[in-house]
Amino acid sequence: MGLNDQSTGWWRDAACYQVYVRSFADSDGDGIGDLPGITSRLPYLADLGVDALWITPFYPSPQNDHGYDVADYCNVEPLFGQLADADNLLERAHALGLRVIVDLVPNHTSDQHEWFQEALAAGPGSPERARYIFRDSETDSPPNNWQSVFGGPAWTRTPDGQWYLHLFDSTQPDLDWRNPEVHAMFEDVLRFWLARGVDGFRIDVAHGLYKVESLPNQQDPTVRRIERMLDSAYGEDEPMWDQPEVHDVYRRWAEILDEFGPDRMAVAEAWVPDSASLAAYVRPDELDQAFNFSWLLADWSAPEFAEVIRRTFASTEPVGASPTWVLSNHDVTRHPTRYGGGERGLARARAATLTMLALPGSVYLYQGEELGLEEVDVAPEHRQDPAWFRTREPGRDGCRVPIPWSGAEPPFGFGPGADQPWIPQPDAWKSLTVEAQQDDPTSTLSFYRAALDHRRRHATPAGQVVELFELGEDVLAFRRGPLTVVLNCGETPVELPAGEVLHSSGPIDGKVLPPDTAAWLS
Ligand code: GLC
């Protein structure tokens, strides 16, 4: 439900699997994933043991930002299928006991959206332009000094001389949320998908939407690339993010979700600097959850992990929201690579994952992490992230390479085509396919399956209270009811406390926990 004043919402302890549509499974052989592809792999997700999937945008879109540039919010991009395929996916997922969260992109539309096309045609001063943020400039420079998250100025000039704001790509014009028509449109969109049976929404750039009305210059107009949005540099001087007015939108949306019963939810993507600002998005009458990016951004450090855990509970508890935990998504470097890559990176990634799966709240997993996939160094000629085109920095393609399912060469069962998919897969992935891992008890896939199963049996029933305790400077240790969790971030082995080891992220010799390893004890 939208109002999170109950403690029973299914999402509160869900394991939710993020599907990046273009890269999950391709049913028609064009090298691009699609909805029927996802539907065909739902049994895999049910078997993995997740409770829900979040599907990235599959609406009609020129795909400049791979779907985050929406041209029509109430239909399906032909590359990905038809509305009937979305209905079928929902029906099959529900039959398997899986919930489905879809992505909602309210900060901006595609420049191909009919509203933007009408705005361009109607000209300055028109009601059509008033749905976006068009401004004049006295000079040849943009109306202010804001930078796009993807690099370069956040303004583009139209042939008639006016400028429009785009916090992302120039093909993603920002809507003006001070215009009531924008509210009405998105309320219809919510109802459209709720009526079709979706269980929830992931709200893209939920901290955007409102900008300080006078659009003041930033004192330090540095580029806030997505993964750097929580840098310490993020401070007071952010007139385009996290404005107070945005919360009224979510109060209204919570009411709409409620119209459809207690089981519909929304999770915010809000890159805001501190836990208190994040908590505002999940107050009882607003959204249900927000991604906890502090966990994802923490270094490989026991004190840092401990601090994030403390801060997370300190901020969610007073508002009654359930915490979330996330290590990877389609915007950031995959976590085995972040932790150094290779065997050590993977060991750390598995250890961090096992730790997060023990914590109260819900977890968001990103497709391919259950296979231990690393970030791919995508060759410049194959890069497609709009940030790459605007800045010539590598961007996010490396975590978006299509999933290897089976076989010994690309496309590794991704689809029936014979060629490489839309971003080429590395040959080395032949040992990482689902097929190669599914019957190997030491594989990362088997580890995830077992960990999700243990989570359901031992962590979820263990109550909501987490108690951190000391086991050494480089060790994160906590109790949750009868469960004890230990993560060794140091360089030397650690003696485990008393108890039976239920699960570990790597081999354990007796009662000693090696570096880069986590264990659960009962
Ligand atoms: C969000 C998405 C990202 C997208 C951006 C613009 O941060 O996660 O992939 O590029 O919004 O919509």
Side-chain angles (χ1 to χ4, degrees):
M1 60 171 258
L3 302 177
N4 44 17
D5 52 356
Q6 307 190 336
S7 52
T8 52
W10 62 266
W11 56 87
R12 296 185 72 97
D13 55 17
C16 182
Y17 183 100
Q18 180 190 353
V19 170
Y20 192 71
V21 186
R22 292 178 69 90
S23 301
F24 189 61
D26 168 23
S27 72
D28 58 8
D30 64 358
I32 298 175
D34 47 41
L35 297 185
I38 300 173
T39 305
S40 74
R41 297 293 185 181
L42 290 173
Y44 166 79
L45 296 181
D47 186 49
L48 180 62
V50 297
D51 305 293
L53 53 155
W54 146 34
I55 310 176
T56 57
F58 50 79
Y59 320 110
S61 156
Q63 301 288 306
N64 285 317
D65 190 18
H66 298 143
Y68 286 98
D69 46 330
V70 180
D72 175 358
Y73 288 85
C74 297
N75 212 331
V76 171
E77 161 61 35
L79 271 175
F80 302 143
Q82 306 175 0
L83 262 182
D85 295 314
D87 293 339
N88 191 30
L89 191 163
L90 283 165
E91 195 185 313
R92 297 282 295 279
H94 290 157
L96 288 167
L98 295 166
R99 313 266 182 171
V100 180
I101 297 173
V102 298
D103 222 306
L104 187 72
V105 188
N107 181 68
H108 44 264
T109 69
S110 159
D111 63 350
Q112 298 306 307
H113 191 280
E114 68 173 1
W115 271 11
F116 194 71
Q117 290 300 313
E118 287 168 10
L120 289 180
S126 60
E128 287 83 357
R129 283 211 174 173
R131 293 162 173 158
Y132 294 90
I133 304 181
F134 279 87
R135 291 291 184 275
D136 297 315
S137 170
E138 317 259 289
T139 64
D140 269 348
S141 318
N144 71 22
N145 66 1
W146 296 1
Q147 298 290 298
S148 150
V149 172
F150 294 158
W155 296 89
T156 289
R157 198 169 204 176
T158 59
D160 55 46
Q162 272 208 315
W163 300 74
Y164 65 89
L165 178 72
H166 51 87
L167 294 180
F168 294 89
D169 191 49
S170 56
T171 61
Q172 294 167 295
D174 280 52
L175 288 159
D176 187 350
W177 275 87
R178 296 181 191 279
N179 182 335
E181 276 188 79
V182 174
H183 293 246
M185 193 263 260
F186 278 94
E187 290 173 15
D188 288 348
V189 172
L190 285 170
R191 290 202 173 91
F192 176 87
W193 289 106
L194 287 166
R196 294 197 101 84
V198 305
D199 300 286
F201 297 92
R202 176 259 187 194
I203 312 298
D204 188 64
V205 198
H207 59 314
L209 279 56
Y210 280 85
K211 287 82 189 167
V212 170
E213 201 163 7
S214 61
L215 306 178
N217 274 330
Q218 270 190 305
Q219 281 150 31
D220 164 29
T222 44
V223 176
R224 307 293 194 223
R225 295 289 294 279
I226 291 179
E227 64 279 22
R228 285 183 232 143
M229 276 195 180
L230 299 193
D231 276 1
S232 48
Y234 190 117
E236 305 286 291
D237 179 29
E238 307 288 343
M240 67 285 275
W241 307 120
D242 199 25
Q243 297 305 310
E245 296 93 330
V246 79
H247 295 289
D248 283 337
V249 175
Y250 301 134
R251 290 194 183 100
R252 177 75 194 114
W253 289 6
E255 289 170 6
I256 295 175
L257 291 174
D258 249 15
E259 288 167 17
F260 288 79
D263 280 344
R264 316 290 180 114
M265 59 81 78
V267 52
E269 183 215 23
W271 294 89
V272 292
D274 60 87
S275 312
S277 322
L278 192 61
Y281 289 78
V282 293
R283 285 177 287 196
D285 58 350
E286 296 197 35
L287 303 176
D288 300 289
Q289 294 190 321
F291 295 125
N292 186 0
F293 293 124
S294 311
W295 182 250
L296 170 160
L297 292 170
D299 284 334
W300 181 255
S301 144
E304 252 195 69
F305 285 133
E307 183 52 24
V308 174
I309 292 173
R310 266 188 224 104
R311 273 194 280 122
T312 301
F313 288 109
S315 64
T316 51
E317 264 167 11
V319 287
S322 53
T324 67
W325 308 97
V326 57
L327 286 166
S328 277
N329 66 32
H330 66 295
D331 290 328
V332 300
T333 303
R334 283 185 176 277
H335 60 286
T337 310
R338 283 206 314 274
Y339 295 144
E343 263 178 46
R344 183 176 220 201
L346 181 60
R348 289 179 169 185
R350 285 168 57 145
T353 300
L354 189 63
T355 306
M356 124 176 142
L357 289 176
L359 288 163
S362 62
V363 292
Y364 284 84
L365 307 174
Y366 178 49
Q367 65 179 36
E369 66 172 83
E370 79 280 19
L371 304 177
L373 299 186
E374 279 210 46
E375 192 79 1
V376 175
D377 186 10
V378 176
E381 66 272 24
H382 295 302
R383 290 184 193 151
Q384 309 209 17
D385 184 344
W388 157 251
F389 295 113
R390 290 178 68 89
T391 62
R392 296 285 142 180
E393 285 184 41
R396 302 162 292 173
D397 298 302
C399 64
R400 299 174 174 181
V401 178
I403 295 299
W405 292 94
S406 58
E409 53 195 40
F412 294 121
F414 172 65
D419 301 331
Q420 280 279 16
W422 70 284
I423 305 180
Q425 300 159 314
D427 289 335
W429 277 10
K430 74 167 175 266
S431 58
L432 295 177
T433 64
V434 171
E435 185 181 49
Q437 297 197 41
Q438 65 193 356
D439 299 322
D440 171 0
T442 67
S443 71
T444 301
L445 178 56
S446 299
F447 161 73
Y448 265 76
R449 253 195 217 124
L452 285 162
D453 182 50
H454 278 111
R455 170 182 160 82
R456 230 183 345 265
R457 291 193 288 123
H458 301 288
T460 311
Q464 300 299 307
V465 179
V466 166
E467 190 197 333
L468 292 159
F469 66 95
E470 278 302 317
L471 213 61
E473 207 185 318
D474 296 321
V475 184
L476 173 74
F478 61 85
R479 288 189 201 91
R480 177 179 178 189
L483 187 69
T484 299
V485 178
V486 184
L487 166 69
N488 185 357
C489 295
E491 301 288 336
T492 50
V494 172
E495 196 171 324
L496 284 169
E500 180 205 341
V501 175
L502 291 169
H503 196 37
S504 63
S505 62
I508 289 193
D509 195 5
K511 295 290 288 172
V512 173
L513 186 69
D516 304 323
T517 310
W520 290 13
L521 297 96
S522 68

